[in-house]
Amino acid sequence: MGLPLEGIKVIDFTGVQAGPACTQLLAWFGAAVLKVERPGVGDVTRNQLRDVPNLDALYFTMLNSNKRSLELNTKTPEGKAILEKLIREADVLVENFAPGAMDRMGFSWERIQELNPQIIFGSIKGFSDDSPYADLKVYENVAQCAGGAASTTGFWDGPPTISGAALGDSNTGMHLAIGILTALIGREKTGKGQKVAVSMQDAVLNLCRVKLRDQERLDHLGYLEEYPQYPNGKFTDAVPRGGNAGGGGQPGWLLKCKGWETDPNAYIYFTIQEQNWERTCAAIGKPEWAEDPAYATARARQPHIFDIFAEIEKWLADKTKFEAVDILRKFEVPCGPVLSMKEIANDPALRASGTVVEVQQEKRGSYLTVGSPIKFSGFTPTITGAPLLGEHTAEVLTELGYSPEQIAKLRSEKVVGRDTPHSS
């Protein structure tokens, strides 16, 4: 079968991570995504954190697979004219420029609508338009702070902590992709396009909804019984940092396994599930705890939950994280190993499922990247290498009706870049 988004044309006017993550997802599912880049420069991530001199950085290649690249100077009248042609033919335009950049370029939402009333205009900003911080330029860590993630992450005796996951960037891109697909379905019913906007602050907060839940509970109760601060610690009027505590009412913690002295990731996450307490006790060699009044209920356990975890850690001392999980899974104890990025990169199951893939890019050769986290019964996305800067310039201009002579003239006037030379 063909891919679901085949026939959908997307103009990718994005850079860095949030926007490219959105358009890459659309490309994986079949959309024809054209990345419009500044001649001679391109997306700034092509040059950031390089591992091989003079090659596109992995930062770029891992966010721009399955796309084509057009070098276009949109500051020139000729460049604007080319962009207008692209907009008239496109289904979707996605941008994540600094606030006001599209307007200053002459392509406000109103102007884009004039050119193509059916287009879906996807936009990512740090804050929503009506926010008092709407004019701020925002990066990942700022979004995590403004969205509530940082204040609720880390330990109670330390500062707010940033997550290693891209909660502000890639997460916002995923939210925008959902919005764009929804708008495309809406267009089928109405024939009209619309603007779809997602702020990084809003997307982070959407993932922090359980912490907002806890804020309301704290306002009503003055304490949060599943947090380590209960019952002996103190609560302020804001949700505290809970360390590694579980957030869903089932106590959990990261526990050391065999080898932790030399391996910083020799840990498992161990969850004490209320309805599975008896089997959990059997698994860790403490069957007597199941009937002991001091341990038998969640409320009874909470005052000495860390003593319980310390006992479980003693049981784990002679077991690797994988051995421990293999034992605990037989007792249906919710748990899992802490996997390092090296272990993930070489995980055969993740390779087999297409979650981690190796692809080829001209010049770089083979490199490792993420595949689609969404699995379908009807098709499997094929992940291809990211485009070289301007690799498809002549191809795109030809599709727009420009002759070879016109293309040569545009190149000489530096309206468009030169196609990247191929080795074939």
Side-chain angles (χ1 to χ4, degrees), residues 28-40:
W28 286 346
F29 301 157
V33 176
L34 177 63
K35 189 172 183 73
V36 180
E37 304 185 72
R38 233 178 353 144

Side-chain angles (χ1 to χ4, degrees), residues 203-222:
V204 171
L205 177 57
N206 191 39
L207 295 189
C208 292
R209 65 181 68 183
V210 297
K211 298 301 182 180
L212 185 59
R213 171 206 68 189
D214 292 347
Q215 183 62 54
E216 293 191 80
R217 293 171 54 233
L218 182 62
D219 290 342
H220 293 152
L221 301 171

Side-chain angles (χ1 to χ4, degrees), residues 37-43 46-47 71-72 389-390 416-418:
E37 304 185 72
R38 233 178 353 144
V41 179
D43 188 319
R46 286 185 181 273
N47 303 316
E71 287 182 276
L72 182 64
L389 178 59
V416 298
R418 297 182 179 276

Side-chain angles (χ1 to χ4, degrees), residues 71-357:
E71 287 182 276
L72 182 64
N73 184 355
T74 56
K75 293 182 179 180
T76 65
E78 297 84 358
K80 292 182 188 297
I82 292 171
L83 182 56
E84 287 184 358
K85 287 186 178 183
L86 290 170
I87 290 173
R88 288 190 178 98
E89 295 184 5
D91 297 285
V92 178
L93 186 153
V94 184
E95 65 89 18
N96 66 336
F97 290 126
M102 289 293 290
D103 291 354
R104 292 190 295 272
M105 196 184 299
F107 290 93
S108 64
W109 166 228
E110 292 73 22
R111 176 56 179 155
I112 291 170
Q113 276 185 302
E114 288 177 7
L115 294 169
N116 184 350
Q118 291 189 316
I119 200 167
I120 308 300
F121 178 37
S123 179
I124 290 175
K125 293 291 178 282
F127 296 89
S128 59
D129 290 343
D130 55 357
S131 168
Y133 306 112
D135 61 328
L136 290 181
K137 188 174 182 180
V138 174
Y139 285 98
E140 169 68 47
N141 292 353
V142 174
Q144 289 196 32
C145 292
S151 70
T152 55
T153 303
F155 284 82
W156 45 88
D157 57 352
T161 303
I162 299 300
S163 170
L167 305 180
D169 277 326
S170 283
N171 168 51
T172 305
M174 301 300 104
H175 276 78
L176 183 60
I178 293 169
I180 288 171
L181 294 174
T182 302
L184 286 170
I185 294 173
R187 189 181 70 176
E188 292 180 3
K189 300 177 180 179
T190 66
K192 297 180 180 180
Q194 60 180 300
K195 182 178 180 179
V196 182
V198 181
S199 82
M200 296 169 74
Q201 181 187 39
D202 291 357
V204 171
L205 177 57
N206 191 39
L207 295 189
C208 292
R209 65 181 68 183
V210 297
K211 298 301 182 180
L212 185 59
R213 171 206 68 189
D214 292 347
Q215 183 62 54
E216 293 191 80
R217 293 171 54 233
L218 182 62
D219 290 342
H220 293 152
L221 301 171
Y223 62 89
L224 298 168
E225 64 183 30
E226 77 280 16
Y227 278 65
Q229 290 84 345
Y230 179 86
N232 300 315
K234 293 182 179 180
F235 288 87
T236 66
D237 61 353
V239 173
R241 291 184 273 283
N244 294 315
Q250 307 289 345
W253 206 254
L254 280 166
L255 302 179
K256 299 172 184 174
C257 294
K258 180 181 178 180
W260 67 270
E261 298 91 344
T262 56
D263 180 358
N265 296 301
Y267 288 75
I268 65 167
Y269 197 86
F270 191 107
T271 306
I272 297 177
Q273 188 179 35
E274 175 67 14
Q275 60 268 38
N276 198 45
W277 175 239
E278 185 175 350
R279 299 199 72 197
T280 300
C281 294
I284 61 175
K286 294 286 185 180
E288 66 277 11
W289 281 1
E291 303 297 332
D292 188 329
Y295 296 90
T297 66
R299 187 172 292 276
R301 290 190 292 272
Q302 187 61 29
H304 48 271
I305 192 69
F306 286 109
D307 295 331
I308 294 172
F309 285 133
E311 287 298 317
I312 298 172
E313 227 172 36
K314 291 178 183 177
W315 177 80
L316 291 167
D318 63 348
K319 302 169 185 67
T320 68
K321 60 188 178 185
F322 299 111
E323 291 169 342
V325 169
D326 281 342
I327 294 170
L328 294 170
R329 73 201 308 174
K330 298 171 184 175
F331 293 85
E332 298 182 322
V333 175
C335 64
V338 172
L339 296 180
S340 70
M341 294 312 298
K342 186 174 183 65
E343 288 169 326
I344 286 173
N346 295 290
D347 189 301
L350 293 176
R351 295 288 188 107
S353 69
T355 300
V356 175
V357 295

